[in-house]
Amino acid sequence: MKAMNAARFHARFQRVLEYIDAHLDGDLSVEALSGVAAFSKYHFHRQFSELFGVGVYQYVQLRRLKRASFELAFRDRKIIDVALTSGYEGPESFSRAFRKNIGQSPSEFRKRPLWKPWHAVYQSLNVLRAFHMKPEKHGQVKIIDFKETRVAVLEHRGDPGLIGDSIRRFIDWRKQNRLSPQISATFNILYDDPARTDPGSYRLDLCAAIEGTVAGNEYGVVEKTIPGGRCAVIRHTGTDDALGEIIAYLYSKWLPRSGEEPRDFPVYLQRVKFFPDVPETEAVVDIFLPLR
């Protein structure tokens, strides 16, 4: 009974975290969030702080600033628009908060993000969320025939904490070649597990489906092919924090039970819906495990 009560208690706070992710533009006051959890507003902020180790206001602010960071680094929104949708009255108050938490002004971050300090800010938050927001179950694994797909590729090699710089270069190439994600499917080829690979040896390919050829370019984008063939595919809706767990499930549980054998090509992803265009808990990724 005690375990059941604790599970229900934590489930109420998980609803709060999910609500925050889905309503970053809305009212995220203690009064509103205590109502989501069905707790008294007079105790909610203390309960939240004791459970998560961070105050509810700070948590909300960091979640809003994470989305703002992605909009500044990877999108073309004006800083004043980012400020207003992040809950600030104007760019001055937004800039103060951004610099205090992230270590750069919004304009500095847009021009040249310092990713290592940024990851240091969000590492503890990611651990917290991974612990309290574990998916109840994985999606259904399906076996499909994947059609051979030619792709333009920017090869990221080295520290996975600096992938943001590679993403920015690839976005610039896609804009120059008019290959937006709306008309060109986006893939990631995962050669290595970042948790088990030396940062200097880490490899990942950022890919966009193409029909024509890739001309020589200053970005280092080259042409490759994702081979056709049978694949196990599982759809994940939510943050990238859970991808490692889902891939581990495919290898450690699904594959031995299925009787299938992996093919000689790495696991790869297709990104269907992107954060910050949708709330992070609504981002959609299909995970492909090539099979013989």
Side-chain angles (χ1 to χ4, degrees), residues 37-83:
F39 285 124
S40 166
K41 66 180 180 181
Y42 299 109
H43 306 288
F44 173 78
H45 64 290
R46 288 192 175 91
Q47 291 174 293
F48 191 100
S49 297
E50 289 299 322
L51 184 60
F52 297 125
V54 61
V56 63
Y57 172 78
Q58 177 70 1
Y59 181 85
V60 168
Q61 184 182 54
L62 286 172
R63 293 303 297 162
R64 283 174 165 161
L65 291 178
K66 181 177 182 181
R67 183 182 66 174
S69 301
F70 274 59
E71 290 174 332
L72 292 169
F74 306 130
R75 300 294 183 266
D76 294 325
R77 295 191 68 202
K78 295 180 180 178
I79 289 178
I80 188 171
D81 294 333
V82 175

Side-chain angles (χ1 to χ4, degrees), residues 142-160:
K142 300 178 181 179
I143 296 180
I144 65 157
D145 286 315
F146 184 84
K147 183 179 179 181
E148 179 180 280
T149 302
R150 293 172 52 244
V151 288
V153 174
L154 191 148
E155 300 173 329
H156 176 86
R157 301 295 183 263
D159 192 343

Side-chain angles (χ1 to χ4, degrees), residues 72 79 91 94-96 98-99 104-111:
L72 292 169
I79 289 178
F94 172 62
S95 183
R96 287 193 298 270
F98 198 92
R99 181 182 288 279
Q104 293 180 275
S105 71
S107 58
E108 290 170 342
F109 190 86
R110 163 159 280 171
K111 184 177 180 180

Side-chain angles (χ1 to χ4, degrees), residues 21 59 63 125-133 239 280-281:
D21 283 346
Y59 181 85
R63 293 303 297 162
L125 204 66
N126 292 341
V127 171
L128 179 156
R129 287 169 57 83
F131 180 79
H132 290 284
M133 298 183 73
T239 73
E280 200 165 7
T281 50

Side-chain angles (χ1 to χ4, degrees), residues 228-242:
R230 296 173 69 249
C231 291
V233 60
I234 184 170
R235 172 157 288 191
H236 167 61
T237 300
T239 73
D240 278 8
D241 298 335

